[in-house]
Amino acid sequence: MTTAAPRSTAAATPPAGAVGTAHTRVEGVEKVTGAARYAGEIPFAGLAHGWLAVSTVARGRIRSIDTDAVLAMPGVLAVLHHGNAPRLETDYIGMLGTRPDPTCTVFQHDRVPSMGWPVALVVAETPEQAREAAESLVVDYEQQPHDIDFHSGRPDAVGLDGHMPAVTGKGDLEAELAASAAVVDAEYTTPEEHHSMMEPHAVTALWDGGRLEVFDSNQGATWVVGELAKMFSLEPSAVRVRSEHVGGGFGSKGVRAHQVAAVMAATVLRRPVRVVMTRRQMFSLAGYRSPTAQRVRLGADADGRLRALEHRSLSLTSTVHDFVEPSAGHSRVMYDADAHHTANQVVRLDLPTPTFMRAPGEAPGSFAMECALDELAVKCGLDPIELRLRNEPERGPVSGLPFSSRNLAACFREGARRFGWAGRDPRPGVRRDGRWLLGTGTAAASFGAGAGPSTAVLTAEADGTFTVRIAAADIGTGARTALTLIAADALGVTTDRVRVRIGDSDFGPAMIAGGSMGTRSWAWAVNTAAAELRERLALGADIPPEGITVRSDTTAAVGALARKERHSYGAQFAEVAVDLTTGEVRVRRMLGIFAAGRIVNPLTARNQLVGGMVWGISMALHEEAVRDRATGGHYGADLAGYHVATNADVQDIEADWIEDHDPDDPVGIKGVGEIGIVGAAAAVANAVWHATGARHRDLPIRPDRVLRAAAEKAPHA
Ligand code: MOS
């Protein structure tokens, strides 16, 4: 037996805090050398490969599936479809508070509600055989007319009260608009956008001694266990999900069709079965961001004070599952007005169900509202930053709750100083650099700072090291590294004495990597467990060979946190160059200054913020999934046809932050996963206006749109 002191208790001389210092990823070497295994590349003996076959019609019914022909093909083991697949439990409320999306509870009926709907899983000895067979599978459909026509003013739009109310309102909007000195009334649209994470969805499922083992790429092992256990009527303890490394998620990696199909196949075949989505399949099976059509009406006094604010957003969902892109949510927390009305509506179309995508609601919502404010600033003859500062609310405009901390003004001040905003000529279209017109733009950002209940397990090992176990997911965010720093500080030891193990549901329930809440939620559980462990060690307990282990559960503590408006904030700045002869827009410079609570690891936090801003450039200028009305399917459902910003699209880009302190939050972290994209597209669009004098209210700002706007502005040219 070893004694606790001094190595395994709090260090005699406490190390300088690890939180706040740059730390490279603890698994970085494994990743760059290929030693890190992702869900689709872990070897298993006897592995079979499943390939999803998806519908080629946008609406209808499956008449027949010719399984005999493919069962005779080399290596084919099974074809699962609605006629022979295991029945699932589908009538339950999952972790996110909704029934499962029928797109994911596969093969339960013969109806086809959208193009690319999963109709069968072909399983074979090799992926090549499975693919060949799946692509040869003849499915006969009774085709029905489909409707994928998304546009504002649809009479069948409905409000759905889900995670937030569909409608909020106070005051007499028309009266306040009529009494306003300056009014903006404009419609903004954003297109269908896709997550496009690098690693495709991938899973391997197998039964091991009565236990379902799932090796998966997801944003939360607890979440996936919960859903699979419910669907397959299993005890949660009979399901284990592991996701050691995840190559990006952005909201798309929960439970989807492939995991469910893989579990079915593993059950039927009694073999490990792997299913990986192709990039093309991800366009219909992995969720996406709904297009939006948003109408914004603003009315202000001559000094810029808002009298009227209306933000109405329309998004789409499928006919089988409700999902709302809550774009008006941005206005509910950012700006107040005497009359303040917001609405999120949806229309149900014959399309796949959209889902959460980085800053759901806030990303498209901030595009509309932050552009509208820029238009209002021009009408009021005010600097757009000054307009925002004059409209800083005292309390949550809709909730009436106090803000825990709101440092938006400080972000603008620091950003303006570093970007060189002072002395900006407000007139559009007057700066040139050769063939380029130059302009600058700004926008505000905010994103909710929440926490979810989590459990953590901490062990003081006999050799003086510490092991943290928590079912966190590192989807590329650097969560594993952040938790290493947090645990080191909480234990009062250096990071080299801390080992963090994540991505395993057997570590106990934990928050998902979502809603920018992961690191804060997990840190809370780690801190709580560490405090108890330090107490135990301070009592001088001997550490037995198996170590001393404590568990924490933050359910009560998270639930007891006072209700307040808790958000991160940011100020986005962009400088663009526009060539009116080609329609090309280049973002020359971009700066984001954020107030995002305590920054755990500057290296990975900057990475998150810059990543979000790059996505904002991408959203502003490039991304657009285009559908063919006749078929209901995509043109170019791949990363050639769907253009995501790459290195050549990004020039000088920088993210930084200011001190931000939430006085009554025990953790102090607000989360940086999503706020980087919020306001970023608006800052670019506002800069394009400043460069050219043309307002672009439809994303993306494609060259043809730039050229058309220029032609409309100067018909004589
Ligand atoms: Mo995020 S859209 O909550 O992964």
Side-chain angles (χ1 to χ4, degrees), residues 695-710:
R695 282 289 171 192
H696 287 272
R697 301 187 184 93
D698 304 303
L699 293 185
I701 306 173
R702 299 186 311 245
D704 63 301
R705 287 176 164 159
V706 173
L707 292 175
R708 192 178 321 124

Side-chain angles (χ1 to χ4, degrees), residues 219 249-252 356-360 475 513-516 674:
Q219 291 177 233
F250 304 124
S252 161
F356 309 96
M357 188 169 123
R358 204 177 201 170
I475 60 175
S516 298
E674 285 160 285

Side-chain angles (χ1 to χ4, degrees), residues 221-545:
T222 307
W223 184 15
V224 176
V225 164
E227 300 282 328
L228 291 177
K230 285 262 174 44
M231 286 179 198
F232 289 90
S233 303
L234 299 165
E235 287 300 321
S237 60
V239 184
R240 183 180 187 185
V241 172
R242 279 178 268 185
S243 51
E244 176 90 33
H245 300 289
V246 180
F250 304 124
S252 161
K253 282 185 178 162
V255 172
R256 308 218 65 95
H258 65 301
Q259 293 121 318
V260 181
V263 173
M264 283 180 172
T267 305
V268 169
L269 292 170
R270 301 177 177 280
R271 279 176 68 164
V273 176
R274 171 167 301 161
V275 182
V276 180
M277 284 191 205
T278 64
R279 183 64 60 179
R280 181 169 290 272
Q281 288 174 344
M282 287 164 67
F283 274 81
S284 67
L285 295 176
Y288 59 97
R289 195 196 304 282
S290 165
T292 69
Q294 303 175 60
R295 187 182 182 194
V296 178
R297 289 199 289 170
L298 299 174
D301 288 335
D303 65 358
R305 195 188 63 88
L306 283 167
R307 300 181 69 109
L309 180 156
E310 183 187 38
H311 188 176
R312 303 179 66 83
S313 175
L314 180 69
S315 61
L316 69 81
T317 191
S318 65
T319 59
V320 295
H321 187 70
D322 286 337
F323 181 85
V324 183
E325 179 77 21
S327 302
H330 181 74
S331 298
R332 293 179 182 178
V333 298
M334 282 301 275
Y335 307 105
D336 206 349
D338 302 314
H340 189 288
H341 291 255
T342 69
N344 291 309
Q345 290 196 307
V346 294
V347 58
R348 298 187 176 102
L349 297 174
D350 300 313
L351 287 166
T353 318
T355 193
F356 309 96
M357 188 169 123
R358 204 177 201 170
E362 272 82 357
S366 63
F367 166 66
M369 181 51 62
E370 298 298 323
C371 286
L373 281 172
D374 204 66
E375 300 198 36
L376 185 67
V378 173
K379 289 198 169 164
C380 293
L382 275 177
D383 181 87
I385 295 176
E386 181 59 27
L387 176 72
R388 288 174 174 85
L389 296 181
R390 289 185 187 183
N391 284 289
E392 269 291 277
E394 292 291 316
R395 306 174 84 79
V398 171
S399 70
L401 294 170
F403 292 99
S404 64
S405 58
R406 179 170 169 123
N407 283 318
L408 178 63
C411 291
F412 271 118
R413 276 193 292 275
E414 175 66 3
R417 185 185 70 74
R418 285 177 51 176
F419 191 75
W421 186 263
R424 171 184 185 258
D425 184 339
R427 292 172 302 155
V430 296
R431 285 152 306 276
R432 266 191 181 281
D433 174 12
R435 68 190 171 97
W436 299 97
L437 283 166
L438 305 182
T440 53
T442 189
S446 93
F447 196 80
S454 293
T455 62
V457 184
L458 256 67
T459 302
E461 309 286 359
D463 66 358
T465 64
F466 296 85
T467 305
V468 178
R469 291 179 178 83
I470 185 164
D474 190 332
I475 60 175
T477 55
R480 188 187 270 104
T481 311
L483 291 175
T484 303
L485 307 187
I486 284 175
D489 281 11
L491 292 162
V493 301
T494 48
T495 53
D496 58 342
R497 284 170 65 187
V498 176
R499 178 184 316 105
V500 174
R501 297 188 52 202
I502 63 169
D504 185 339
S505 61
D506 271 5
F507 298 157
M511 179 60 191
I512 62 169
S516 298
M517 293 193 262
T519 298
R520 178 171 179 226
S521 307
W522 305 321
W524 201 331
V526 169
N527 280 343
T528 305
E532 191 189 327
L533 189 57
R534 285 182 77 159
E535 261 176 43
R536 299 258 303 262
L537 295 174
L539 297 173
D542 285 346
I543 300 187

